[in-house]
Every structure is written in structure tokens, then in C-alpha cells.
Amino acid sequence: MSRAAMTRQAWIGAGKGAVLPFAILMLVMLMVVPIPATMLDVGFIVNIMISLAVLMVAINVAKPLDFSSFPTVLLFATLLRLALNVASTRVVLVNGHEGTAAAGHVIEAFGHFLIGGDYAVGIFVFMILMIINLVVITKGAGRVSEVSARFTLDALPGKQMAIDADLNAGLLTPEEAKVRRQEVATEADFYGSMDGASKFVKGDAVAGVLILVINILGGLILGTVSHGLSMSEAAEIYVLLAIGDALVAQVPALLLSIGAAAIVTRVSSPMDLNGQITSQFGSHRAWTPVAVILFILGILPGMPHLIVLPAAALAGYVAWKLKKGADARAAVPPPAPPAPNPAAIGWDEVSDDAALGLELGYGLVGLVDERKGAPLMARITGIRRQLSRELGFVIPLVRVRDNMALAPNAYRITVGGVIVGEDEIYPDELLALDSGDLLNRIEGRAAKDPTFGLDAVWIPPAQRAEAIVAGYTVVDAATVAATHLNQIIQTAAADLFGMDEAQKLLDALKDSAPQLVANLTPNPLSLTAIAAMCRALLAEGVPLKDFRRIAEAMADVARDEPDPAQMVEKVRQRIGALIVQTLVPVRMPLPVITLDASLESLLTQAVRTGRDATHPIEPGLGQKLVGAVSSIAGPLLGEGRRFALVTSPLARRALSRLLGPHLPDVPVFSFLEIPDGKAVEVIAIVGGEVPQTMINQEVDA
């Protein structure tokens, strides 16, 4: 850019910056320095032009903050009008005896054209304009401004806190938060300024009345005393000029009052005021009753039919056009979504956030087809509802989808993206399970039950009755997959429980026991620690149904025990009654397997020696222990009996970790977990002889 261009831009910038100070200086000069009538005419026209421009801008803005300079503009427009009133008063009182043209053609035109040269009519017209401006528009706009300013300032702290919360949650960047804070501050400043600016309009209206009275009284006195006019001549000249001057000033004041009222009564919208009104009145349901009512009025005797009936016809035409436009828009089909770009790769293609997944081969899609009743989906919903009640937290949704890479009749169950179960089922056949007490065998496709590992055969539906008579348990394909999924969910309950689930449990508990939650988290236990303890309980088959008792136990234990592992053991001891009742009812004795005293002592010594080890039991001893427990527990599990292996509190955790991978259905309790007074039944002793008679004894926990 050349130096001349830079200099020119600098002069232009300086000129723009000097416009406002120069305009303010001119306002002061109008009040002090006498001006000719021609310049006064120019000032009145400029005043009307500015008022019209302000009104148009106020109507066309989408939201009030788009015209944030309005309070200042209103101040300067009011000052201009008052300055012109002072200048016109000076001209009227000095030169009014020369005739109605002495104060300029604008005042003369308003005096003759608007009121017909009759000053009495002018007084009444001016009074009506003053009532409209002062009592109706200005008072209403002032009240709205006051209420808006109060509500905006009261809501300011909450809006600032909401912005800070969104910023801390990562929903806003620091730059966006800064812009939002600026908008909130500007909004508060604007409505506060509008509350004060409304007083300018009200004061201007009052000043107009006082200036009119002064012009009339001053003109009558000067005309009769200084210029020798009669009272009637002085009244005809000075009152007419005073009324014309007042009307010239009152019309722009009325325009500014309407603009101020339009600004403060606006509701933020993407559209301007014209668009809002057009869209909200653009319904044929509003215009049809109008046309009907006007038509009924038009046919009544004595009504001006030539006026009312055309108005009814016009309203009916508007309703018809709006209805036709609405029907045309409804008939246009929505635009088709853009065709997917084959080269684009979405995040959903490379990540899978489903906690539970069920993948089906294409031959099994009919099991989830709604047109065929979706039998598998109904069973999955029932499983989730039942297990949610049993485990004490909401089981996540199971994402079911087809997988063309699988065999046609194969399915696969995943937990957190890890494959934990898969098998094949045949949707058009039934699975006959060998219950172990068959009268005769039937022919079919040999298989293994995926849930319990029982021998089974797939048979056609026609053989269902024959299989039942033979002693088989017959189930359909959807039930086989659903039962397998049920077992997987029970086994993987700890993997399905996370911090979100822990927080939901705490939120639900807060409604009934707020003090308990307040004394549990964040001190002494964090949300992470609570979730870890809940997962540890679920991993060993302890449900979270009575979370209040579990939370109370956590709160008591956390104050004295810093070790998380020992904390879980002590929580188990506090909720022993809950754990025991998962095995047997209250009135039945608890069947238990115990360890021989020497084996118990050896195991306790091993745990004490390797207290910090993950697996403190020596491998050789552990192998023999697993074999001994398996030989005793295997037949009992085969009979469907429920029992627990009971050991010392010190060895319980180590023994549970040792037996868990091999005998997941054998719970391991400590002596302290069995409630006082609970009857137990020793059904076997590992490392000793099985009692000849069942031993009932009371065990003190």
C-alpha cells in the first residue's frame, strides 16, 4: 500500500472518529446560539429521519443485543429533539409576531396541515399524542425494561456458573467460554441501560408538555406587551406556532418510543420481527375462523355489508392461500440423504463400545426378525430384567448384529470386545438334553449343551413328544442361546460393572440415605475404590441388591482398614447374612465342606508366609488341594446341591482365587461370614473322612 493511500485511510479514520464529538458540540450550540429558521427546518427533518431509522433498525434486529447501542442512540436522539425545542422556542418568541412563517416552514406546515390552522384542534391532538406516548407506550416499555433488567441481573451468577461447568466438562473451549461470558455481560449491561434509557423517553414527553405551556404563555405575554398585538391576534399566531413546534417534536418522540418498546419486548429468534410475525400468523387455522366470524357479522341486519363482507372475503382468501401452501409443502418429499462415501471411514467402524455383544451367523437372523416375532430378542430382554433384579444393577444393553464371517448357524458372545462364548444352534430344530435318566435314546445330530456341557441331540420339531417321553429336556434354539447368554452375564457381572454403575447406585441411595452417601464418598472412599469393591463382591457371586447395607459396611470398614483387599474381606464379614442367603433359605441349614485341621494349618501358614503374593499357596499344595476339592464337590454339583467351602478368614481369599478358575460354582466362605445362630451341615471334610452321620452345629461367626 502506498504512503498516499495510508495517509488517506488515516484521514478517513480520524474523520469517522470526529463525527460523534462534532455532533455533540452542535447539540450544545443549538441550545445556546441562535440559528436561522432555515437551519431549524433542516434540524427538524434530520430529527424525523433519525427517528425513522432507529425504528426500522429496532424492527429488523433478530435479538435485542443486535442493537446494543440503542440506549446511547436514544440519549442522543432525545438531546437533539430537546435542543431543537430550545432553538425553536427562541425563534418563536423572538420572531413570532411576524407571522406563522417566522419559525420556519416545517413548524408552519405542521400547524396548518395536521391541525387545519385551528390551534384548539391542535391542543387536543397534542394531548392525545401525549397520552398515547406517555401513558401507554412509554409506561409499558419502562415497566418491561425494569423487569427485564431485574431478571437478567438475577440470572447473571447462574449463567456464569453454567459456563464454568460447561468449560470444566469439556463442552466449551476457553475461547468459546470467553465469548459466552462476554455475551452474558453485554446482555446484563444492555438491559440495565435500557431500564435507565426508558426514563429519557418519559422525561422527554413531560418536557414536551412544559415547553408547549411555556411557548403559549411566553408568546401571549410578548405578543401583547412587546409587540402591541391583541389577545386574539397573539393567540392565533403564538398558540399555532407553539402547537406546530410541539407536534414537530412529538412525532419523532413517538417513533422513538415505539422503537424502544419494540426492542425491550422482543424475544430472541433467528428471524427479525417481520419474519416472526409472518411465520406465527401464517397458519390457515387462525384465518379461517376470522373469515367465518366476519361473514356472520356481515350478513346481520344493520351492519355495513360493503365493508364487512369484503373483509371476510379477504380473510377467507388468505386462509385458502395458506392452506394451499401448507399442503404443497407437505406433498414435497424430504430430500434424500447424501449417498455414503465409500472412501470415508467412521469411528463406529473401528471401535465397539458395547459392553455385551451377540453376533449371529446369517442363518440365525430370523431369531431377531421382528416380522417373525423376534423370539431371541424377547428372551434377552427378560434375561436382562431378571439379572438386573438379582445382581442389583442395570445390565447393559446387548448389541445384537449379524456377522458374515461366522458359520450360518453359529453365534458368538462378547464381553467388552472379548469373545467369551460361541456355539452353533439350528433355528428350525429343537435341542434334546440328556437328563441322565433316559428310558431310551433317540437319533439326531449329536451336540453339547453350551451352558451346562450336557450331552444333547438336535431333533426335528416332530420328535418333540417322543423326546419328552424318553426323558429328554427339550428346548428351542432361541432358549439355548439365551440360556448361554444368561450364564455368561452372571459369570462376567464384575466386568460389566464400572464407575458409571457405581455412581448410579450412589445416586439412587442418596434419595433414601443422603447422610450415608455423604459419609462414604468422596471421603473416606473415592468412586474408584467403591467401584473396585463392588466388582470384587460381584466376582465372587455376591449381589448388590441391598446396596444400603453394603455401603454401611464400606463406610465402617474404610475408617480402620487402609488395605483394599482386606477391606473387601471385612465388608464380606459385615454382610455375611446377605452372602449366605444367596445359597440357602433362612430356615434351612447351610451345607458346608470344611478342611482338615492339619490342612487348614498348613494353608494358613502358607498364606502368612506369602501375604503379599498374588498366589501365596505353593503350586504343589495348590494342585493337590484343587484335586481333593474337585473329587468331593464334583458329585455334589452333579446332583445340583448348593453348598459352600468354609475356611479361616486369613486363608479365604487365597483359597477362593485358587479354586475359582477350576470350580467357579463352589463359593468359599470364612467362618466369620456365617451369621450367629445359623445352622450348618458339614457334608464333607477335605483331607479327612466324610462323617458317617450329618453333623448339625452352631457356628459363631
Side-chain angles (χ1 to χ4, degrees):
M1 184 181 295
S2 64
R3 177 170 300 185
M6 294 177 63
T7 304
R8 184 165 57 253
Q9 287 189 356
W11 277 103
I12 293 174
K16 290 181 178 179
V19 170
L20 189 58
F22 179 76
I24 295 175
L25 182 61
M26 291 298 297
L27 291 179
V28 176
M29 291 180 63
L30 283 175
M31 296 181 183
V32 179
V33 179
I35 59 174
T38 303
M39 186 175 293
L40 192 62
D41 289 341
V42 173
F44 283 127
I45 297 302
V46 170
N47 186 24
I48 296 174
M49 179 181 66
I50 292 175
S51 301
L52 286 171
V54 170
L55 178 60
M56 293 301 106
V57 173
I59 292 175
N60 290 306
V61 295
K63 55 184 180 180
L65 287 183
D66 292 342
F67 197 5
S68 58
S69 62
F70 183 77
T72 306
V73 171
L74 187 62
L75 169 64
F76 289 138
T78 303
L79 289 177
L80 173 61
R81 190 164 54 255
L82 293 176
L84 290 173
N85 279 334
V86 173
S88 63
T89 298
R90 183 185 299 108
V91 173
V92 167
L93 295 180
V94 173
N95 303 323
H97 63 282
E98 298 176 2
T100 56
H105 297 292
V106 174
I107 293 178
E108 183 183 20
F110 270 78
H112 285 284
F113 178 73
L114 294 184
I115 60 177
D118 190 339
Y119 61 83
V121 174
I123 292 177
F124 290 119
V125 170
F126 177 78
M127 290 175 61
I128 293 173
L129 289 177
M130 286 299 303
I131 292 172
I132 294 173
N133 189 11
L134 185 62
V135 178
V136 179
I137 300 176
T138 303
K139 186 176 182 180
R143 179 58 178 166
V144 173
S145 299
E146 180 182 352
V147 173
S148 299
R150 183 181 304 168
F151 285 176
T152 302
L153 293 176
D154 289 344
L156 183 61
K159 292 180 179 180
Q160 294 285 7
M161 292 174 64
I163 295 172
D164 294 337
D166 290 345
L167 178 62
N168 295 332
L171 301 177
L172 294 176
T173 63
E175 292 75 16
E176 292 172 338
K178 184 177 181 180
V179 173
R180 289 272 299 275
R181 290 193 186 97
Q182 182 63 38
E183 289 179 356
V184 170
T186 303
E187 183 182 20
D189 293 342
F190 173 78
Y191 284 107
S193 299
M194 282 302 302
D195 185 25
S198 61
K199 304 301 188 293
F200 297 152
V201 180
K202 182 177 181 180
D204 180 39
V206 175
V209 176
L210 297 178
I211 291 174
L212 173 65
V213 173
I214 292 173
N215 282 342
I216 292 176
L217 294 178
L220 292 176
I221 294 173
L222 290 175
T224 55
V225 175
S226 300
H227 303 293
L229 299 176
S230 65
M231 182 63 69
S232 60
E233 292 175 338
E236 182 178 357
I237 296 175
Y238 286 100
V239 174
L240 188 65
L241 289 176
I243 294 297
D245 180 30
L247 290 176
V248 169
Q250 198 59 38
V251 169
L254 185 61
L255 295 177
L256 285 179
S257 298
I258 296 172
I263 280 289
V264 297
T265 56
R266 283 297 307 277
V267 176
S268 296
S269 170
M271 298 179 289
D272 57 14
L273 185 59
N274 181 55
Q276 279 185 283
I277 294 176
T278 302
S279 63
Q280 293 167 9
F281 277 85
S283 172
H284 66 91
R285 294 184 180 87
W287 289 98
T288 301
V290 172
V292 173
I293 293 173
L294 286 177
F295 177 76
I296 294 174
L297 290 176
I299 62 177
L300 293 177
M303 295 296 292
H305 309 297
L306 296 179
I307 298 177
V308 180
L309 290 178
L314 177 61
Y317 175 75
V318 171
W320 175 75
K321 289 291 290 183
L322 293 174
K323 179 68 167 58
K324 185 178 179 181
D327 294 341
R329 288 191 296 271
V332 176
N341 183 4
I345 301 176
W347 281 105
D348 56 346
E349 299 181 55
V350 298
S351 63
D352 186 2
D353 57 354
L356 283 169
L358 177 61
E359 301 176 2
L360 304 175
Y362 67 85
L364 304 180
V365 174
L367 296 177
V368 295
D369 190 350
E370 293 184 358
R371 294 172 296 180
K372 298 181 180 180
L376 182 56
M377 296 304 297
R379 285 178 172 83
I380 290 175
T381 302
I383 288 171
R384 290 184 57 243
R385 182 176 290 110
Q386 181 63 29
L387 288 179
S388 296
R389 293 195 187 108
E390 292 178 0
L391 297 176
F393 70 97
V394 178
I395 302 299
L397 292 172
V398 180
R399 177 176 293 177
V400 181
R401 58 187 177 184
D402 61 327
N403 187 344
M404 300 302 293
L406 295 177
N409 295 318
Y411 69 88
R412 177 183 294 166
I413 301 173
T414 61
V415 175
V418 178
I419 301 172
V420 293
E422 56 185 353
D423 210 312
E424 288 191 3
I425 55 177
Y426 300 89
D428 298 327
E429 298 180 11
L430 301 174
L431 184 65
L433 301 172
D434 185 353
S435 60
D437 189 17
L438 302 178
L439 299 178
N440 62 287
R441 295 189 176 275
I442 59 176
E443 298 296 328
R445 185 185 293 107
K448 284 281 189 181
D449 172 46
T451 304
F452 306 106
L454 301 177
D455 293 330
V457 290
W458 287 98
I459 60 174
Q463 290 184 266
R464 180 188 185 98
E466 179 186 352
I468 294 175
V469 171
Y472 286 92
T473 301
V474 181
V475 294
D476 59 15
T479 302
V480 174
T483 306
H484 193 189
L485 178 64
N486 180 78
Q487 182 201 42
I488 293 294
I489 294 176
Q490 287 182 314
T491 305
D495 297 326
L496 300 175
F497 190 91
M499 286 191 288
D500 290 331
E501 286 72 20
Q503 185 62 59
K504 290 175 182 177
L505 284 178
L506 291 170
D507 292 341
L509 182 60
K510 189 181 297 182
D511 295 335
S512 58
Q515 289 301 319
L516 173 58
V517 176
N519 285 276
L520 176 64
T521 184
N523 286 316
L525 292 178
S526 65
L527 181 62
T528 305
I530 294 173
M533 295 177 69
C534 290
R535 282 195 296 268
L537 294 173
L538 290 169
E540 296 199 54
V542 180
L544 306 176
K545 287 190 297 183
D546 194 349
F547 186 67
R548 176 167 183 163
R549 291 187 62 183
I550 295 174
E552 288 175 347
M554 288 181 181
D556 292 341
V557 169
R559 294 184 177 87
D560 304 324
E561 181 57 64
D563 184 16
Q566 293 302 317
M567 199 180 299
V568 174
E569 294 301 310
K570 291 188 176 182
V571 168
R572 286 179 59 94
Q573 295 168 14
R574 298 290 184 95
I575 61 172
L578 293 176
I579 300 174
V580 170
Q581 73 180 13
T582 61
L583 284 181
V584 293
V586 176
R587 296 180 180 273
M588 288 184 60
L590 173 65
V592 299
I593 297 175
T594 62
L595 301 181
D596 180 70
S598 59
L599 180 59
E600 182 84 45
S601 176
L602 183 63
L603 186 61
T604 303
Q605 183 63 33
V607 173
R608 283 176 178 166
T609 303
R611 180 181 294 272
D612 297 330
T614 304
H615 296 284
I617 302 175
E618 191 270 330
L621 175 61
Q623 201 170 31
K624 293 179 181 179
L625 191 57
V626 170
V629 175
S630 299
S631 63
I632 296 175
L636 297 174
L637 293 174
E639 297 173 4
R641 298 190 63 177
R642 303 295 301 276
F643 60 91
L645 176 63
V646 179
T647 183
S648 65
L650 183 61
R652 194 215 68 83
R653 179 167 172 267
L655 188 58
S656 177
R657 299 188 66 173
L658 175 68
L659 298 178
H662 308 283
L663 298 167
D665 295 328
V666 177
V668 181
F669 293 175
S670 76
F671 297 124
L672 296 180
E673 292 173 13
I674 302 176
D676 294 340
K678 178 65 177 177
V680 299
E681 181 184 14
V682 180
I683 59 176
I685 299 176
V686 178
E689 297 293 335
V690 179
Q692 297 299 319
T693 59
M694 298 302 178
I695 304 173
N696 290 327
Q697 59 182 357
E698 299 293 330
V699 177
D700 292 336

